[in-house]
Each structure stands twice: as structure tokens, then as C-alpha cells.
Amino acid sequence: MGSYSPPPGFPENPPEILPPQAAASYAQDEELRAVRDRVPGHRSEPDAAHRSWAYAPATYVLVGINCAVFLAMVLAHVSMFRPTSDQLMWWGATDPSAVLGDGQWWRVVSAMFVHVGIIHLATNMWCLWNLGLLGEPLIGPGGVLAAYVLSGAAGNLLSIGVHQAWGNGAVGAGASGAVFGLAGVLIVLLKSARLPIPRKELNGLRRYVIYFAAINFVVGFGGNHFFSTVQVDNWAHLGGFVGGILFALPLVPMLGSPKRLFLFRRRVAVSGLTTGLVFFAYFLSVVFPAANFVGR
């Protein structure tokens, strides 16, 4: 998610988060194939080279929705590179006054499907695709959808609260908070001893995800310093990352676990994080009541 304040002469957007190149290349190695080949019903080599979308349906659906929203924006004459703040808000982006002042809480979810230009979209979708393909065997399609939405909402809520506290009404949009949430989920679950995969391979995968998160946090702070036109919203990244970790803590990985136990723990994760987000949203509404926005 990026805080957005377009000045005159707005240039093309710099990438908000860097694609997990290491994880992407690693995903093509035997280590990740070892994970994929253990997915029930997944074809083993050589057929695995011809993977169908059904291997990771949630990941492809999420990428498809994000791309479809962006295509709809372009067809509606929104610039591919320089959308205005009003255009982004019309399509579902967030800002504190709309959410806290007007009670448009649906923006907490819709904003994670709206992007500030094609470069912003491409980098986020590349990261989502790689992390989703790695995570979906561990938490299932329902888990990926829940982790994306709930961690993305956590990032957006934290961003809204911090920006309002600082008096910054910047527009926010993007999937990067949810992407960081998936990274948080993977960092927790790839530590599990239940996974029927050699420990060395798991440690390698987990290390690359940690590098991805750490590097992009650093790039985020640097981006705010070097790029004045599009601010990288590290508060959304942090909120999504913490949300992903909290979502993963009650979970056991789908691989190597009894189905009933996995589904029960996933329900606990979804209900627990949802409850926490509702209370956090209520807290924000008490700290920043709608009356404060009258006459804004």
C-alpha cells in the first residue's frame, strides 16, 4: 500500500516493494518441488512442468482480481501511470477522513485491490504470485484468501491510524500490506517440524522469505526519502506483516497435518484475527471520532 500525494509533473511510479527474486528462483529448484510434489493430487515430474491454475487457485484468483480492477480503471480513462487522488478514491482507496470520518470501512478491504499505476501493480502481483505459490500448499486456498484479506486489512487499519495521528491525510492503495502478510505467514509455518521436507530445504526457503521482508522494509524507508511523489507506506507493510504472523501462530501447515486438525486451527486463526481487527477498528473510531472530521 502506498501513500499517494501527486504533485505537478508526476513521474512514473517507482516500485513500492521489490519482487522476491531469490524466492522466485528458488521456487524453480528441487527444494520447492519437494513441497509441491507432496500436495495431494498434485502431479509429479515430468507432468509438474505443465502446472495448471488449479494448483494454486486462490493465488491466481487474487492476481486476476487485482489485474481486472486495474484494467477496469484504465478502460474508465484512469491513467496507467498518473492516476489522481480523486480517481483512486472513487475506485476504493483509503484515507483517514473517508474511513474514520464518513464510516466507509469497506475501503479497508477494497484498497488492497487498487493500484497507483502499472508499475505498482506489476511489482505487487509478481510478489503475490511467488509468495502465494509457496504458501498455498501450506495453508490451502481458503487460507491464502483469508491471510490476504485479513493481513491486508490489518495493514490498512494501522496505516489509517498512524496517518491520522500525524495529521497526514494521504490516499493509500495497493496489495503490498497483504503481500507482507503472506510473508509473515510463511516465516512462521516454514519453521514447523510437521512438514515432511528436509530441514535444510525448509531453512533455505524461510531464509529467502525473511530476506524479502527485511530488504523491502529497508527499501520502504529509503523510498520515502528519495521519492517524494509516491511515499512507500511502511506502516501498511508492518501492519500486514504482523497480521500475517498473528494469523499463522494458531495454524499448523496443511502438509504433514491431519486435515481435521488443520481446518480447526485455520478456523481459530480466521476468527481470532477477525475479532482483533474489529476491536482495533473500534479503538480507532473512539480515538478519532467522526465528529472530528466535520467541516474538513
Side-chain angles (χ1 to χ4, degrees):
M1 177 174 165
S3 299
Y4 180 73
S5 303
F10 183 88
E12 294 183 5
N13 304 317
E16 184 185 22
I17 57 177
L18 296 179
Q21 298 289 355
S25 60
Y26 209 76
Q28 299 170 359
D29 295 335
E30 293 298 331
E31 288 83 354
L32 185 52
R33 292 194 185 105
V35 177
R36 290 172 172 171
D37 290 345
R38 287 170 172 81
V39 179
H42 182 62
R43 295 169 293 176
S44 59
E45 298 291 355
D47 289 338
H50 306 287
R51 301 183 186 94
S52 71
W53 77 276
Y55 159 67
T59 300
Y60 288 105
V61 166
L62 288 171
V63 171
I65 292 173
N66 278 280
C67 291
V69 170
F70 186 75
L71 177 60
M73 292 171 65
V74 172
L75 292 176
H77 306 293
V78 175
S79 172
M80 293 179 64
F81 300 101
R82 303 179 182 182
T84 66
S85 295
D86 288 342
Q87 288 172 333
L88 292 171
M89 289 299 294
W90 194 91
W91 283 92
T94 67
D95 74 3
S97 64
V99 175
L100 299 173
D102 297 334
Q104 297 175 6
W105 294 97
W106 53 270
R107 292 182 180 274
V108 171
V109 174
S110 65
M112 67 186 76
F113 297 97
V114 178
H115 286 83
V116 189
I118 194 167
I119 297 175
H120 188 207
L121 174 73
T123 55
N124 278 347
M125 292 306 98
W126 179 243
C127 296
L128 172 59
W129 183 74
N130 282 284
L131 295 177
L133 289 183
L134 180 56
E136 200 150 342
L138 303 181
I139 59 178
V144 168
L145 290 172
Y148 180 94
V149 172
L150 294 176
S151 60
N156 289 346
L157 285 172
L158 181 61
S159 174
I160 289 168
V162 170
H163 285 130
Q164 178 57 28
W166 289 352
N168 179 1
V171 173
S176 56
V179 169
F180 269 83
L182 291 175
V185 170
L186 287 169
I187 288 171
V188 173
L189 290 187
L190 289 173
K191 191 71 173 176
S192 174
R194 289 179 175 268
L195 292 173
I197 303 162
R199 178 54 48 187
K200 181 179 179 181
E201 297 170 0
L202 284 179
N203 288 341
L205 289 168
R206 188 168 183 266
R207 185 169 59 251
Y208 280 120
V209 177
I210 292 173
Y211 289 165
F212 158 75
I215 289 171
N216 279 289
F217 275 124
V218 173
V219 169
F221 287 112
N224 285 336
H225 179 74
F226 292 110
F227 301 112
S228 60
T229 54
V230 178
Q231 296 182 7
V232 178
D233 193 347
N234 258 346
W235 291 109
H237 295 174
L238 177 62
F241 186 70
V242 172
I245 290 175
L246 293 176
F247 180 82
L249 287 178
L251 283 176
V252 295
M254 183 170 69
L255 296 177
S257 301
K259 182 176 181 180
R260 179 176 297 180
L261 173 63
F262 167 73
L263 292 177
F264 170 74
R265 299 285 288 272
R266 193 171 71 181
R267 286 194 293 270
V268 170
V270 171
S271 60
L273 187 53
T274 301
T275 301
L277 292 177
V278 169
F279 276 106
F280 185 49
Y282 176 74
F283 168 78
L284 292 179
S285 69
V286 171
V287 174
F288 307 112
N292 290 352
F293 297 87
V294 174
R296 61 186 181 279

